[in-house]
Amino acid sequence: ITQRPVSAGPTEATLLGNALVQLMATGDVANDTEMRELSARSIELQHYAPVDGAGGDAIFGRFLEVTGLTSVRPMHASLR
């Protein structure tokens, strides 16, 4: 629909974030840079690339049908 690549992390991201903050509170992690490095080593991101085709148009049409919307507000230019 948007034709933008997407990177997705684990469903347990909140748990990981809470654990990292606790590690920082106990002094086991020194700073936010170290937290980011530990997080990056601990998870694997999934990457999804846009797929060409009209499938997105059909999905968007179904979205409009289910929600009862006739259109959606255009995306802000800075997000395009």
Side-chain angles (χ1 to χ4, degrees):
I1 295 173
T2 65
Q3 295 300 307
R4 293 182 174 266
V6 173
S7 297
T11 57
E12 304 85 4
T14 301
L15 173 72
L16 177 61
N18 289 338
L20 288 169
V21 169
Q22 290 179 31
L23 288 171
M24 185 183 234
T26 61
D28 293 311
V29 173
N31 53 44
D32 60 338
T33 300
E34 193 174 331
M35 285 173 53
R36 286 189 192 98
E37 291 170 356
L38 181 57
S39 175
R41 290 193 314 264
S42 301
I43 64 168
E44 185 176 330
L45 294 177
Q46 297 293 322
H47 302 281
Y48 302 93
V51 178
D52 290 335
D57 293 336
I59 292 169
F60 184 64
R62 177 71 177 137
F63 166 77
L64 293 176
E65 180 183 321
V66 168
T67 61
L69 298 172
T70 55
S71 66
V72 294
R73 189 174 71 196
M75 186 183 299
H76 189 273
S78 67
L79 299 175
R80 290 187 193 138

